[in-house]
Amino acid sequence: MNDTSRRATIQIVLLASIALALGEFFRPAWGWALFALGLLWMLVHHQRNLARLQRWLARPTPGTVPEGTGVWDDLFAAIYHHERAQAWRLKEYERTLARFRLAGQALTDGVVVLDGGNRIQWCNETAERQLGINYHADAGQPLQNLVRQPDFVEFIAANDFGRSFQMRIDRGHELVLLLQIVSYGEDERLMHVKDVTQSERLDRMRQDFVANVSHELRTPLTVLSGFLETIRELKLDPSQREHYLSLMSEQSRRMLCIVEDLLTLSSLESAPPPQDERIMMTALMARLREDAEALSAGRHRIVLQCDGECDLLGAESEIQSAFSNLVSDRKSTRL
């Protein structure tokens, strides 16, 4: 028996005791009348408080739990404390959900939450930009109806989410997205969208660079191989021999420059981005002219034209390397 039932029982027993005592000292009818009036008052009291509870349960607005008296005061107090605890837990859930949403918005990759019918339940702003969708306008819509790429529609329809999917989108510039869908919960899916446009472009540049380097190395190697066979098989006078050796030396320097460019490219890719600094271009161009004159050895006419002072902001070593490559080109260059 709980406290409320115990208190109600004590009230009835106390009322019966008073009515019995009244009947013993005066008349039994007076005792029964007092007992009946007491029960009636208790019934009305409980009925009024029960009506208050029913009205509140019909519209349980937080913070408006009614107040009662007697045994009902304990009941309403328990409901009030329960309602406060529920409200506190609800706020905690809302704060936790808000933190998760903020964390999802902070991701640099796109995230889309889908139901079993691939309808959008939630997405972050990155996914909106990548896929060209709007969460507030498109929530509840099937994603394949919004991203109308035939290969993407086939990927969604296949339900083969054990593999990733690469999609190309043309919006004035090519956008390459890598998509991965993971099932979780009862019937929900999480789609991860990664922008791999830059890595695709770098891979293409590497392939082109390797092809160009292979072509550039093949020519001097062929020349060197031919000269070596010529020197080994033919009897040459000293002037001819010196001529061939000079040509071989030039081809060797050409291959050395290509190898140095490869090493420079490798160091640039692995090194952290350099700090920007002010580059005094007048002094830099003067040094480049001296290097060009030493490299040319009088075979080229080198002209340096600097109109006023025009400094740059960047990494001096990389700027010097870029201009040095232009200066070392065997074709005539005007700086």
Side-chain angles (χ1 to χ4, degrees):
M1 182 180 297
N2 56 35
D3 292 340
T4 302
S5 299
R6 187 180 296 109
R7 289 180 62 179
T9 303
I10 292 173
Q11 288 178 353
I12 295 175
V13 171
L14 182 60
L15 176 62
S17 300
I18 295 173
L20 182 62
L22 183 63
E24 289 290 335
F25 284 101
F26 297 99
R27 294 180 180 180
W30 290 14
W32 285 108
L34 178 62
F35 185 70
L37 288 174
L39 289 178
L40 180 61
W41 178 86
M42 292 178 63
L43 181 62
V44 172
H45 173 71
H46 290 316
Q47 185 63 34
R48 289 179 58 191
N49 285 281
L50 182 59
R52 291 178 183 176
L53 178 60
Q54 289 176 335
R55 285 194 299 269
W56 184 81
L57 289 176
R59 300 182 63 182
T61 306
T64 62
V65 178
E67 296 181 359
T69 57
V71 295
W72 286 92
D73 182 57
D74 296 338
L75 179 60
F76 285 138
I79 295 175
Y80 172 76
H81 290 301
H82 178 73
E83 186 264 338
R84 289 290 301 273
Q86 287 291 97
W88 182 83
R89 282 192 290 267
L90 180 59
K91 288 182 179 179
E92 281 296 307
Y93 292 149
E94 290 175 349
R95 283 194 288 265
T96 302
L97 180 60
R99 286 196 297 268
F100 275 111
R101 285 184 174 178
L102 288 176
Q105 294 292 0
L107 293 174
T108 56
D109 293 340
V111 176
V112 184
V113 178
L114 306 170
D115 64 8
N118 298 313
R119 289 178 289 268
I120 300 174
Q121 302 300 304
W122 181 83
C123 68
N124 62 358
E125 294 177 357
T126 304
E128 289 181 320
R129 293 193 300 270
Q130 291 172 332
L131 300 175
I133 60 179
N134 186 305
Y135 168 65
H136 296 288
D138 300 330
Q141 296 293 322
L143 184 59
Q144 62 269 27
N145 291 351
L146 303 172
V147 183
R148 296 182 177 276
Q149 294 275 45
D151 49 354
F152 174 74
V153 174
E154 292 178 1
F155 170 69
I156 290 290
N159 277 335
D160 183 13
F161 303 139
R163 61 183 179 90
S164 57
F165 171 73
Q166 185 168 288
M167 178 172 63
R168 297 179 182 273
I169 301 176
D170 187 6
R171 296 182 185 149
H173 62 280
E174 186 182 43
L175 183 66
V176 184
L177 303 176
L178 186 64
L179 282 64
Q180 180 72 51
I181 298 180
V182 180
S183 299
Y184 73 98
E186 294 183 359
D187 195 16
E188 293 178 302
R189 297 164 181 175
L190 179 70
M191 186 171 74
H192 173 245
V193 186
K194 185 176 183 61
D195 187 349
V196 295
T197 306
Q198 184 65 17
S199 60
E200 281 282 310
R201 186 179 297 114
L202 290 176
D203 287 341
R204 200 178 306 122
M205 290 175 60
R206 288 191 183 96
Q207 293 173 1
D208 294 341
F209 181 77
V210 170
N212 292 334
V213 168
S214 301
H215 176 74
E216 290 293 330
L217 285 175
R218 185 181 295 111
T219 300
L221 284 174
T222 302
V223 174
L224 281 174
S225 178
F227 285 160
L228 287 172
E229 291 181 2
T230 300
I231 293 175
R232 185 176 62 232
E233 296 176 359
L234 299 179
K235 294 182 179 180
L236 304 174
D237 56 54
S239 61
Q240 290 178 320
R241 187 182 184 88
E242 184 65 27
H243 175 68
Y244 284 127
L245 289 175
S246 176
L247 294 177
M248 293 169 64
S249 177
E250 183 177 350
Q251 296 299 323
S252 298
R253 285 195 298 270
R254 180 181 175 187
M255 286 191 296
L256 181 61
C257 289
I258 295 175
V259 172
E260 289 177 349
D261 289 341
L262 286 173
L263 294 176
T264 300
L265 177 63
S266 177
S267 64
L268 289 177
E269 289 183 341
S270 59
Q275 297 293 327
D276 288 341
E277 57 184 340
R278 185 175 180 179
I279 306 171
M280 304 298 181
M281 291 303 297
T282 301
L284 177 61
M285 300 304 289
R287 293 197 303 270
L288 290 173
R289 179 179 181 177
E290 293 176 358
D291 294 342
E293 289 176 345
L295 182 63
S296 175
R299 292 176 295 175
H300 302 83
R301 184 174 67 89
I302 299 176
V303 178
L304 175 61
Q305 180 179 348
C306 290
D307 298 332
E309 295 185 0
C310 183
D311 297 338
L312 297 179
L313 186 65
E316 183 171 355
S317 60
E318 296 186 3
I319 296 294
Q320 181 173 350
S321 175
F323 280 97
S324 179
N325 288 335
L326 294 175
V327 171
S328 61
D329 193 342
R330 291 185 299 172
K331 298 178 182 180
S332 61
T333 305
R334 182 180 181 86
L335 297 177

